[in-house]
Amino acid sequence: AVSNGIPLLRTFHWLFDKGFISVESDYRIVKSSRYYHPKIDNLINESGRIMLPKDVLVRPHPDFLRYHREHVFKP
């Protein structure tokens, strides 16, 4: 499902899959307390949120984001 996907740079994809970063319900990027990559922080946009498609139907679904935060993310 399109709403279960987020296009990420390779490095962010790895961090997301390993639970070092996640996305809040307001689409803000959150970092694990176990995360420390200051050089990579420079790649996060100034808003601190993921960029969203204009079409609401293809945005990441809140249920999938919540699942990731609750079961994959390492706070």
Side-chain angles (χ1 to χ4, degrees):
V2 174
S3 62
N4 190 26
I6 304 174
L8 301 169
L9 293 170
R10 175 185 257 166
T11 301
F12 286 107
H13 190 138
W14 183 87
L15 291 167
F16 187 81
D17 283 350
K18 298 297 181 187
F20 290 113
I21 62 171
S22 194
V23 179
E24 289 286 356
S25 57
D26 64 356
Y27 302 109
R28 185 175 41 89
I29 300 166
V30 290
K31 298 182 285 184
S32 167
S33 61
R34 303 174 193 182
Y35 168 97
Y36 183 74
H37 298 282
K39 289 182 181 179
I40 294 172
D41 287 344
N42 294 329
L43 299 174
I44 296 175
N45 67 48
E46 290 181 17
S47 74
R49 290 177 164 71
I50 62 172
M51 297 173 67
L52 297 168
K54 291 181 183 189
D55 184 349
V56 177
L57 297 176
V58 297
R59 291 182 180 179
H61 195 282
D63 291 342
F64 297 134
L65 295 176
R66 183 176 44 254
Y67 179 89
H68 184 270
R69 287 190 312 273
E70 293 175 358
H71 298 282
V72 180
F73 184 61
K74 301 170 184 172

